[in-house]
Amino acid sequence: MHLPFLGPRHTKRGDAALPADPEAVAELLSECELLRSQAGRAGVRLDDTPASLEALDQMVPRWRDDPEILPWLGHDAGLYLGTVVVRTVPGAAWQIRSDGEPVVRLASGRAVEVVPAGQEWAATGAPELSQLYGEIAEA
């Protein structure tokens, strides 16, 4: 997801710096409208907690039958995974790479590419979002 409106400022590592209000960026990246809509129809409440990732893992993946929805839903799933990490793992924060892709930067300095993980989950169901969260939170 390329976010050109976030600006071209760069750090020494080549990653784009977040605008002055990282909370606004986090709020924008947490919208995940398609995923929230699909989850709501399935009776799953997305409250930005690890438990909601477990609930997503249990949903029947009806979106896999729609090649137009699949990539968008996967994108949203990755952003939602990142949202849960940023809101629950101490020191985790969103960072926008120089190519415009959002990643989650952990306190250890490790960057987690959550969007490809969400796309893989949407396409195949594996690895589960809750499993990915557990691995990220341990790091």
Side-chain angles (χ1 to χ4, degrees):
M1 174 166 104
H2 181 66
L3 304 169
F5 58 87
L6 293 178
R9 300 182 323 213
H10 297 280
T11 64
K12 291 180 183 176
R13 287 188 299 231
D15 292 331
L18 289 175
D21 188 0
E23 288 182 28
V25 172
E27 191 64 33
L28 174 68
L29 294 176
S30 74
E31 287 181 1
C32 314
E33 288 182 39
L34 180 59
L35 181 70
R36 289 181 189 277
S37 172
Q38 294 275 330
R41 279 188 281 235
V44 174
R45 183 170 173 265
L46 300 184
D47 59 1
D48 302 347
T49 64
S52 65
L53 294 172
E54 292 176 18
L56 281 174
D57 289 336
Q58 301 305 312
M59 282 179 41
V60 175
R62 292 187 175 95
W63 58 83
R64 291 189 190 134
D65 296 333
D66 189 336
E68 290 184 26
I69 290 179
L70 182 63
W72 293 104
L73 190 97
H75 190 268
D76 276 8
L79 292 179
Y80 185 72
L81 171 62
T83 295
V84 174
V85 170
V86 166
R87 293 194 174 154
T88 62
V89 175
W94 284 109
Q95 185 171 33
I96 307 302
R97 293 189 321 206
S98 60
D99 64 359
E101 289 296 317
V103 296
V104 173
R105 180 76 59 186
L106 302 177
S108 66
R110 175 180 163 218
V112 180
E113 295 184 11
V114 291
V115 171
Q119 291 170 327
E120 183 68 20
W121 171 83
T124 67
E128 293 181 339
L129 295 175
S130 58
Q131 177 186 354
L132 290 168
Y133 173 83
E135 293 169 6
I136 293 167
E138 284 181 4

